[in-house]
mmCIF file of all heavy atoms in Angstrom:
data_model
loop_
_atom_site.group_PDB
_atom_site.id
_atom_site.type_symbol
_atom_site.label_atom_id
_atom_site.label_comp_id
_atom_site.label_asym_id
_atom_site.label_seq_id
_atom_site.Cartn_x
_atom_site.Cartn_y
_atom_site.Cartn_z
ATOM 1 N N LEU A 1 151.674 27.536 139.694
ATOM 2 C CA LEU A 1 150.582 26.593 139.896
ATOM 3 C C LEU A 1 149.275 27.132 139.327
ATOM 4 O O LEU A 1 148.447 26.371 138.800
ATOM 5 C CB LEU A 1 150.439 26.293 141.382
ATOM 6 C CG LEU A 1 151.616 25.524 142.002
ATOM 7 C CD1 LEU A 1 151.479 25.454 143.509
ATOM 8 C CD2 LEU A 1 151.728 24.130 141.405
ATOM 9 N N GLN A 2 149.084 28.442 139.411
ATOM 10 C CA GLN A 2 147.903 29.055 138.816
ATOM 11 C C GLN A 2 147.881 28.818 137.308
ATOM 12 O O GLN A 2 146.845 28.479 136.722
ATOM 13 C CB GLN A 2 147.880 30.546 139.125
ATOM 14 C CG GLN A 2 146.686 31.285 138.560
ATOM 15 C CD GLN A 2 146.796 32.787 138.779
ATOM 16 O OE1 GLN A 2 147.900 33.336 138.848
ATOM 17 N NE2 GLN A 2 145.660 33.459 138.879
ATOM 18 N N ALA A 3 149.037 28.986 136.665
ATOM 19 C CA ALA A 3 149.126 28.775 135.221
ATOM 20 C C ALA A 3 148.854 27.321 134.856
ATOM 21 O O ALA A 3 148.162 27.029 133.863
ATOM 22 C CB ALA A 3 150.502 29.201 134.715
ATOM 23 N N GLU A 4 149.391 26.388 135.649
ATOM 24 C CA GLU A 4 149.152 24.969 135.376
ATOM 25 C C GLU A 4 147.675 24.620 135.552
ATOM 26 O O GLU A 4 147.104 23.853 134.771
ATOM 27 C CB GLU A 4 150.023 24.102 136.289
ATOM 28 C CG GLU A 4 151.475 24.068 135.895
ATOM 29 C CD GLU A 4 151.685 23.511 134.489
ATOM 30 O OE1 GLU A 4 151.046 22.484 134.150
ATOM 31 O OE2 GLU A 4 152.469 24.089 133.720
ATOM 32 N N ALA A 5 147.050 25.171 136.585
ATOM 33 C CA ALA A 5 145.637 24.898 136.821
ATOM 34 C C ALA A 5 144.785 25.452 135.685
ATOM 35 O O ALA A 5 143.834 24.803 135.226
ATOM 36 C CB ALA A 5 145.208 25.501 138.159
ATOM 37 N N ALA A 6 145.119 26.657 135.222
ATOM 38 C CA ALA A 6 144.367 27.259 134.131
ATOM 39 C C ALA A 6 144.479 26.421 132.863
ATOM 40 O O ALA A 6 143.480 26.196 132.158
ATOM 41 C CB ALA A 6 144.864 28.682 133.881
ATOM 42 N N ALA A 7 145.686 25.952 132.573
ATOM 43 C CA ALA A 7 145.880 25.110 131.389
ATOM 44 C C ALA A 7 145.090 23.812 131.507
ATOM 45 O O ALA A 7 144.480 23.343 130.534
ATOM 46 C CB ALA A 7 147.365 24.821 131.200
ATOM 47 N N PHE A 8 145.093 23.235 132.700
ATOM 48 C CA PHE A 8 144.365 21.983 132.921
ATOM 49 C C PHE A 8 142.859 22.186 132.729
ATOM 50 O O PHE A 8 142.171 21.337 132.157
ATOM 51 C CB PHE A 8 144.650 21.473 134.333
ATOM 52 C CG PHE A 8 143.862 20.249 134.718
ATOM 53 C CD1 PHE A 8 144.239 18.993 134.267
ATOM 54 C CD2 PHE A 8 142.744 20.356 135.532
ATOM 55 C CE1 PHE A 8 143.506 17.859 134.623
ATOM 56 C CE2 PHE A 8 142.013 19.234 135.884
ATOM 57 C CZ PHE A 8 142.398 17.983 135.429
ATOM 58 N N LEU A 9 142.352 23.332 133.207
ATOM 59 C CA LEU A 9 140.923 23.615 133.109
ATOM 60 C C LEU A 9 140.520 24.197 131.758
ATOM 61 O O LEU A 9 139.332 24.364 131.482
ATOM 62 C CB LEU A 9 140.515 24.586 134.222
ATOM 63 C CG LEU A 9 140.657 24.067 135.654
ATOM 64 C CD1 LEU A 9 140.444 25.194 136.650
ATOM 65 C CD2 LEU A 9 139.696 22.931 135.917
ATOM 66 N N GLY A 10 141.528 24.559 130.931
ATOM 67 C CA GLY A 10 141.238 25.175 129.652
ATOM 68 C C GLY A 10 140.697 26.579 129.777
ATOM 69 O O GLY A 10 139.847 26.998 128.986
ATOM 70 N N LYS A 11 141.191 27.325 130.763
ATOM 71 C CA LYS A 11 140.728 28.681 131.021
ATOM 72 C C LYS A 11 141.882 29.669 130.947
ATOM 73 O O LYS A 11 143.043 29.288 131.135
ATOM 74 C CB LYS A 11 140.098 28.773 132.414
ATOM 75 C CG LYS A 11 138.845 27.959 132.623
ATOM 76 C CD LYS A 11 138.298 28.187 134.026
ATOM 77 C CE LYS A 11 136.988 27.444 134.255
ATOM 78 N NZ LYS A 11 136.466 27.699 135.633
ATOM 79 N N PRO A 12 141.607 30.937 130.705
ATOM 80 C CA PRO A 12 142.641 31.958 130.851
ATOM 81 C C PRO A 12 143.090 32.026 132.309
ATOM 82 O O PRO A 12 142.299 31.757 133.227
ATOM 83 C CB PRO A 12 141.934 33.255 130.433
ATOM 84 C CG PRO A 12 140.724 32.825 129.678
ATOM 85 C CD PRO A 12 140.320 31.503 130.235
ATOM 86 N N VAL A 13 144.338 32.411 132.514
ATOM 87 C CA VAL A 13 144.883 32.460 133.871
ATOM 88 C C VAL A 13 144.042 33.352 134.775
ATOM 89 O O VAL A 13 143.788 33.025 135.943
ATOM 90 C CB VAL A 13 146.353 32.944 133.834
ATOM 91 C CG1 VAL A 13 146.865 33.228 135.246
ATOM 92 C CG2 VAL A 13 147.234 31.898 133.165
ATOM 93 N N GLN A 14 143.579 34.489 134.243
ATOM 94 C CA GLN A 14 142.815 35.418 135.075
ATOM 95 C C GLN A 14 141.482 34.840 135.522
ATOM 96 O O GLN A 14 140.860 35.359 136.469
ATOM 97 C CB GLN A 14 142.588 36.747 134.341
ATOM 98 C CG GLN A 14 141.762 36.650 133.073
ATOM 99 C CD GLN A 14 142.618 36.425 131.833
ATOM 100 O OE1 GLN A 14 143.746 35.954 131.935
ATOM 101 N NE2 GLN A 14 142.089 36.811 130.681
ATOM 102 N N ASP A 15 141.050 33.765 134.893
ATOM 103 C CA ASP A 15 139.792 33.137 135.295
ATOM 104 C C ASP A 15 139.985 32.058 136.350
ATOM 105 O O ASP A 15 139.032 31.358 136.723
ATOM 106 C CB ASP A 15 139.094 32.531 134.077
ATOM 107 C CG ASP A 15 138.527 33.603 133.149
ATOM 108 O OD1 ASP A 15 138.491 34.776 133.552
ATOM 109 O OD2 ASP A 15 138.134 33.264 132.008
ATOM 110 N N VAL A 16 141.215 31.898 136.835
ATOM 111 C CA VAL A 16 141.497 30.976 137.933
ATOM 112 C C VAL A 16 142.148 31.791 139.055
ATOM 113 O O VAL A 16 143.359 31.727 139.279
ATOM 114 C CB VAL A 16 142.424 29.815 137.488
ATOM 115 C CG1 VAL A 16 142.595 28.800 138.625
ATOM 116 C CG2 VAL A 16 141.864 29.129 136.260
ATOM 117 N N PRO A 17 141.373 32.606 139.748
ATOM 118 C CA PRO A 17 141.951 33.465 140.790
ATOM 119 C C PRO A 17 142.441 32.649 141.974
ATOM 120 O O PRO A 17 141.764 31.717 142.425
ATOM 121 C CB PRO A 17 140.786 34.370 141.192
ATOM 122 C CG PRO A 17 139.564 33.578 140.866
ATOM 123 C CD PRO A 17 139.913 32.784 139.635
ATOM 124 N N VAL A 18 143.618 32.967 142.454
ATOM 125 C CA VAL A 18 144.193 32.259 143.600
ATOM 126 C C VAL A 18 144.638 33.276 144.643
ATOM 127 O O VAL A 18 144.880 34.444 144.338
ATOM 128 C CB VAL A 18 145.391 31.375 143.181
ATOM 129 C CG1 VAL A 18 144.953 30.299 142.209
ATOM 130 C CG2 VAL A 18 146.513 32.205 142.579
ATOM 131 N N ARG A 19 144.756 32.804 145.862
ATOM 132 C CA ARG A 19 145.238 33.637 146.955
ATOM 133 C C ARG A 19 146.160 32.810 147.845
ATOM 134 O O ARG A 19 146.029 31.586 147.930
ATOM 135 C CB ARG A 19 144.076 34.177 147.793
ATOM 136 C CG ARG A 19 143.154 35.148 147.063
ATOM 137 C CD ARG A 19 143.855 36.445 146.675
ATOM 138 N NE ARG A 19 142.928 37.415 146.127
ATOM 139 C CZ ARG A 19 142.583 37.505 144.836
ATOM 140 N NH1 ARG A 19 143.079 36.641 143.964
ATOM 141 N NH2 ARG A 19 141.748 38.439 144.423
ATOM 142 N N MET A 20 147.059 33.502 148.516
ATOM 143 C CA MET A 20 147.959 32.859 149.459
ATOM 144 C C MET A 20 147.388 32.971 150.869
ATOM 145 O O MET A 20 146.967 34.046 151.295
ATOM 146 C CB MET A 20 149.345 33.513 149.424
ATOM 147 C CG MET A 20 150.321 32.951 150.462
ATOM 148 S SD MET A 20 151.851 33.925 150.597
ATOM 149 C CE MET A 20 152.610 33.568 149.014
ATOM 150 N N MET A 21 147.369 31.861 151.588
ATOM 151 C CA MET A 21 147.031 31.874 153.003
ATOM 152 C C MET A 21 148.208 31.353 153.799
ATOM 153 O O MET A 21 148.794 30.324 153.453
ATOM 154 C CB MET A 21 145.802 31.003 153.299
ATOM 155 C CG MET A 21 145.440 30.991 154.785
ATOM 156 S SD MET A 21 143.887 30.109 155.165
ATOM 157 C CE MET A 21 144.444 28.399 155.028
ATOM 158 N N LEU A 22 148.578 32.054 154.839
ATOM 159 C CA LEU A 22 149.595 31.586 155.762
ATOM 160 C C LEU A 22 148.905 31.265 157.074
ATOM 161 O O LEU A 22 148.113 32.080 157.575
ATOM 162 C CB LEU A 22 150.683 32.640 155.969
ATOM 163 C CG LEU A 22 152.042 32.081 156.379
ATOM 164 C CD1 LEU A 22 152.609 31.208 155.276
ATOM 165 C CD2 LEU A 22 153.027 33.199 156.690
ATOM 166 N N ALA A 23 149.177 30.090 157.619
ATOM 167 C CA ALA A 23 148.422 29.633 158.773
ATOM 168 C C ALA A 23 149.308 28.890 159.755
ATOM 169 O O ALA A 23 150.255 28.201 159.378
ATOM 170 C CB ALA A 23 147.284 28.719 158.321
ATOM 171 N N ASN A 24 148.993 29.050 161.040
ATOM 172 C CA ASN A 24 149.510 28.184 162.083
ATOM 173 C C ASN A 24 148.365 27.923 163.058
ATOM 174 O O ASN A 24 147.217 28.244 162.776
ATOM 175 C CB ASN A 24 150.752 28.779 162.756
ATOM 176 C CG ASN A 24 150.494 30.143 163.381
ATOM 177 O OD1 ASN A 24 149.381 30.445 163.827
ATOM 178 N ND2 ASN A 24 151.512 30.983 163.411
ATOM 179 N N ASN A 25 148.662 27.353 164.207
ATOM 180 C CA ASN A 25 147.595 27.004 165.140
ATOM 181 C C ASN A 25 146.916 28.219 165.753
ATOM 182 O O ASN A 25 145.821 28.102 166.309
ATOM 183 C CB ASN A 25 148.147 26.112 166.255
ATOM 184 C CG ASN A 25 148.581 24.749 165.749
ATOM 185 O OD1 ASN A 25 148.037 24.258 164.770
ATOM 186 N ND2 ASN A 25 149.555 24.147 166.406
ATOM 187 N N GLU A 26 147.556 29.394 165.655
ATOM 188 C CA GLU A 26 147.037 30.574 166.323
ATOM 189 C C GLU A 26 146.453 31.625 165.386
ATOM 190 O O GLU A 26 145.640 32.445 165.811
ATOM 191 C CB GLU A 26 148.147 31.226 167.166
ATOM 192 C CG GLU A 26 148.676 30.329 168.265
ATOM 193 C CD GLU A 26 149.720 31.027 169.117
ATOM 194 O OE1 GLU A 26 149.613 32.249 169.326
ATOM 195 O OE2 GLU A 26 150.652 30.344 169.566
ATOM 196 N N LEU A 27 146.856 31.615 164.130
ATOM 197 C CA LEU A 27 146.462 32.710 163.247
ATOM 198 C C LEU A 27 146.462 32.255 161.795
ATOM 199 O O LEU A 27 147.350 31.518 161.368
ATOM 200 C CB LEU A 27 147.437 33.879 163.429
ATOM 201 C CG LEU A 27 147.179 35.166 162.652
ATOM 202 C CD1 LEU A 27 145.858 35.805 163.072
ATOM 203 C CD2 LEU A 27 148.332 36.151 162.870
ATOM 204 N N LYS A 28 145.468 32.729 161.055
ATOM 205 C CA LYS A 28 145.406 32.512 159.604
ATOM 206 C C LYS A 28 145.239 33.866 158.924
ATOM 207 O O LYS A 28 144.423 34.684 159.353
ATOM 208 C CB LYS A 28 144.221 31.612 159.214
ATOM 209 C CG LYS A 28 144.274 30.194 159.715
ATOM 210 C CD LYS A 28 143.061 29.418 159.227
ATOM 211 C CE LYS A 28 143.112 27.965 159.657
ATOM 212 N NZ LYS A 28 142.915 27.836 161.120
ATOM 213 N N THR A 29 146.006 34.084 157.865
ATOM 214 C CA THR A 29 145.854 35.307 157.082
ATOM 215 C C THR A 29 145.814 34.967 155.600
ATOM 216 O O THR A 29 146.521 34.075 155.130
ATOM 217 C CB THR A 29 147.003 36.316 157.325
ATOM 218 O OG1 THR A 29 148.230 35.763 156.834
ATOM 219 C CG2 THR A 29 147.146 36.650 158.794
ATOM 220 N N VAL A 30 144.958 35.684 154.870
ATOM 221 C CA VAL A 30 144.861 35.548 153.414
ATOM 222 C C VAL A 30 145.195 36.902 152.807
ATOM 223 O O VAL A 30 144.785 37.947 153.332
ATOM 224 C CB VAL A 30 143.450 35.095 152.986
ATOM 225 C CG1 VAL A 30 143.347 35.017 151.466
ATOM 226 C CG2 VAL A 30 143.119 33.738 153.603
ATOM 227 N N LEU A 31 145.925 36.895 151.691
ATOM 228 C CA LEU A 31 146.447 38.123 151.108
ATOM 229 C C LEU A 31 145.674 38.526 149.853
ATOM 230 O O LEU A 31 145.385 37.696 148.995
ATOM 231 C CB LEU A 31 147.920 37.938 150.737
ATOM 232 C CG LEU A 31 148.832 37.334 151.812
ATOM 233 C CD1 LEU A 31 150.252 37.208 151.273
ATOM 234 C CD2 LEU A 31 148.806 38.150 153.085
ATOM 235 N N VAL A 32 145.396 39.823 149.752
ATOM 236 C CA VAL A 32 144.772 40.355 148.539
ATOM 237 C C VAL A 32 145.752 40.319 147.374
ATOM 238 O O VAL A 32 145.406 39.985 146.246
ATOM 239 C CB VAL A 32 144.254 41.789 148.775
ATOM 240 C CG1 VAL A 32 143.805 42.436 147.458
ATOM 241 C CG2 VAL A 32 143.092 41.772 149.769
ATOM 242 N N SER A 33 147.016 40.677 147.617
ATOM 243 C CA SER A 33 148.062 40.607 146.580
ATOM 244 C C SER A 33 149.218 39.788 147.122
ATOM 245 O O SER A 33 149.370 39.622 148.332
ATOM 246 C CB SER A 33 148.536 42.002 146.176
ATOM 247 O OG SER A 33 149.147 42.661 147.271
ATOM 248 N N ILE A 34 150.060 39.297 146.208
ATOM 249 C CA ILE A 34 151.110 38.371 146.655
ATOM 250 C C ILE A 34 152.491 38.944 146.331
ATOM 251 O O ILE A 34 152.970 39.822 147.024
ATOM 252 C CB ILE A 34 150.903 36.972 146.036
ATOM 253 C CG1 ILE A 34 149.469 36.476 146.336
ATOM 254 C CG2 ILE A 34 151.897 35.974 146.614
ATOM 255 C CD1 ILE A 34 149.119 35.148 145.711
ATOM 256 N N HIS A 35 153.101 38.475 145.253
ATOM 257 C CA HIS A 35 154.493 38.831 144.967
ATOM 258 C C HIS A 35 154.555 39.992 143.977
ATOM 259 O O HIS A 35 154.550 39.788 142.765
ATOM 260 C CB HIS A 35 155.258 37.612 144.433
ATOM 261 C CG HIS A 35 155.326 36.488 145.410
ATOM 262 N ND1 HIS A 35 154.868 35.228 145.132
ATOM 263 C CD2 HIS A 35 155.785 36.451 146.684
ATOM 264 C CE1 HIS A 35 155.047 34.449 146.181
ATOM 265 N NE2 HIS A 35 155.594 35.166 147.134
ATOM 266 N N MET A 36 154.599 41.187 144.532
ATOM 267 C CA MET A 36 154.743 42.392 143.721
ATOM 268 C C MET A 36 155.304 43.484 144.605
ATOM 269 O O MET A 36 155.350 43.358 145.833
ATOM 270 C CB MET A 36 153.399 42.808 143.124
ATOM 271 C CG MET A 36 152.294 43.067 144.138
ATOM 272 S SD MET A 36 150.696 43.514 143.372
ATOM 273 C CE MET A 36 150.298 42.045 142.450
ATOM 274 N N SER A 37 155.754 44.564 143.981
ATOM 275 C CA SER A 37 156.295 45.672 144.770
ATOM 276 C C SER A 37 155.189 46.292 145.619
ATOM 277 O O SER A 37 153.992 46.125 145.346
ATOM 278 C CB SER A 37 156.882 46.742 143.841
ATOM 279 O OG SER A 37 155.841 47.457 143.186
ATOM 280 N N LEU A 38 155.591 47.040 146.648
ATOM 281 C CA LEU A 38 154.603 47.671 147.515
ATOM 282 C C LEU A 38 153.762 48.673 146.745
ATOM 283 O O LEU A 38 152.548 48.780 146.958
ATOM 284 C CB LEU A 38 155.303 48.340 148.698
ATOM 285 C CG LEU A 38 154.391 48.939 149.777
ATOM 286 C CD1 LEU A 38 153.409 47.908 150.305
ATOM 287 C CD2 LEU A 38 155.228 49.519 150.913
ATOM 288 N N ARG A 39 154.380 49.418 145.816
ATOM 289 C CA ARG A 39 153.609 50.360 144.998
ATOM 290 C C ARG A 39 152.541 49.628 144.179
ATOM 291 O O ARG A 39 151.392 50.063 144.079
ATOM 292 C CB ARG A 39 154.538 51.132 144.062
ATOM 293 C CG ARG A 39 155.464 52.116 144.771
ATOM 294 C CD ARG A 39 156.278 52.899 143.763
ATOM 295 N NE ARG A 39 157.271 53.740 144.420
ATOM 296 C CZ ARG A 39 157.013 54.936 144.925
ATOM 297 N NH1 ARG A 39 155.786 55.435 144.853
ATOM 298 N NH2 ARG A 39 157.961 55.634 145.506
ATOM 299 N N GLN A 40 152.922 48.497 143.600
ATOM 300 C CA GLN A 40 151.958 47.719 142.826
ATOM 301 C C GLN A 40 150.881 47.124 143.734
ATOM 302 O O GLN A 40 149.703 47.042 143.358
ATOM 303 C CB GLN A 40 152.673 46.597 142.079
ATOM 304 C CG GLN A 40 153.579 47.061 140.951
ATOM 305 C CD GLN A 40 154.369 45.908 140.360
ATOM 306 O OE1 GLN A 40 154.974 45.117 141.072
ATOM 307 N NE2 GLN A 40 154.353 45.805 139.036
ATOM 308 N N ALA A 41 151.289 46.717 144.934
ATOM 309 C CA ALA A 41 150.341 46.099 145.855
ATOM 310 C C ALA A 41 149.264 47.092 146.291
ATOM 311 O O ALA A 41 148.090 46.733 146.413
ATOM 312 C CB ALA A 41 151.080 45.564 147.082
ATOM 313 N N ILE A 42 149.651 48.333 146.515
ATOM 314 C CA ILE A 42 148.672 49.351 146.884
ATOM 315 C C ILE A 42 147.681 49.563 145.740
ATOM 316 O O ILE A 42 146.463 49.661 145.953
ATOM 317 C CB ILE A 42 149.376 50.668 147.264
ATOM 318 C CG1 ILE A 42 150.168 50.472 148.563
ATOM 319 C CG2 ILE A 42 148.370 51.808 147.419
ATOM 320 C CD1 ILE A 42 151.082 51.633 148.905
ATOM 321 N N ALA A 43 148.202 49.602 144.529
ATOM 322 C CA ALA A 43 147.330 49.775 143.365
ATOM 323 C C ALA A 43 146.409 48.574 143.168
ATOM 324 O O ALA A 43 145.335 48.694 142.569
ATOM 325 C CB ALA A 43 148.175 49.998 142.113
ATOM 326 N N ALA A 44 146.819 47.402 143.679
ATOM 327 C CA ALA A 44 146.021 46.183 143.519
ATOM 328 C C ALA A 44 144.853 46.117 144.500
ATOM 329 O O ALA A 44 144.018 45.204 144.396
ATOM 330 C CB ALA A 44 146.903 44.951 143.696
ATOM 331 N N VAL A 45 144.809 47.043 145.450
ATOM 332 C CA VAL A 45 143.680 47.077 146.385
ATOM 333 C C VAL A 45 142.508 47.760 145.685
ATOM 334 O O VAL A 45 142.338 48.975 145.724
ATOM 335 C CB VAL A 45 144.056 47.809 147.695
ATOM 336 C CG1 VAL A 45 142.853 47.879 148.636
ATOM 337 C CG2 VAL A 45 145.213 47.095 148.367
ATOM 338 N N THR A 46 141.715 46.975 144.998
ATOM 339 C CA THR A 46 140.540 47.464 144.286
ATOM 340 C C THR A 46 139.295 46.775 144.854
ATOM 341 O O THR A 46 139.398 45.743 145.541
ATOM 342 C CB THR A 46 140.630 47.159 142.786
ATOM 343 O OG1 THR A 46 140.602 45.728 142.593
ATOM 344 C CG2 THR A 46 141.921 47.722 142.186
#
C-alpha cells in the first residue's frame, strides 16, 4: 500500500513514511519498524 500511495502521489516510496498501529478498546500501539528480522529491527531504531 505504501508503494501504491507513492505512485499515486508521484513520490519516491521513502517519501511516504507509514507505520502500523494495532488497536482495540483497551490499548493502541504504533511500531517503529514492521516486517523485518529482529536484528534488522534493532538497527532500525534510529
Side-chain angles (χ1 to χ4, degrees):
L1 293 172
Q2 180 186 29
E4 285 300 316
F8 175 78
L9 296 171
K11 296 182 177 181
V13 170
Q14 63 269 22
D15 289 349
V16 185
V18 298
R19 294 295 187 272
M20 176 190 291
M21 179 174 76
L22 206 64
N24 59 30
N25 293 331
E26 298 183 34
L27 183 63
K28 295 181 177 70
T29 66
V30 178
L31 311 179
V32 171
S33 64
I34 306 177
H35 298 123
M36 58 182 63
S37 73
L38 186 54
R39 291 184 186 277
Q40 291 174 312
I42 293 170
V45 178
T46 65

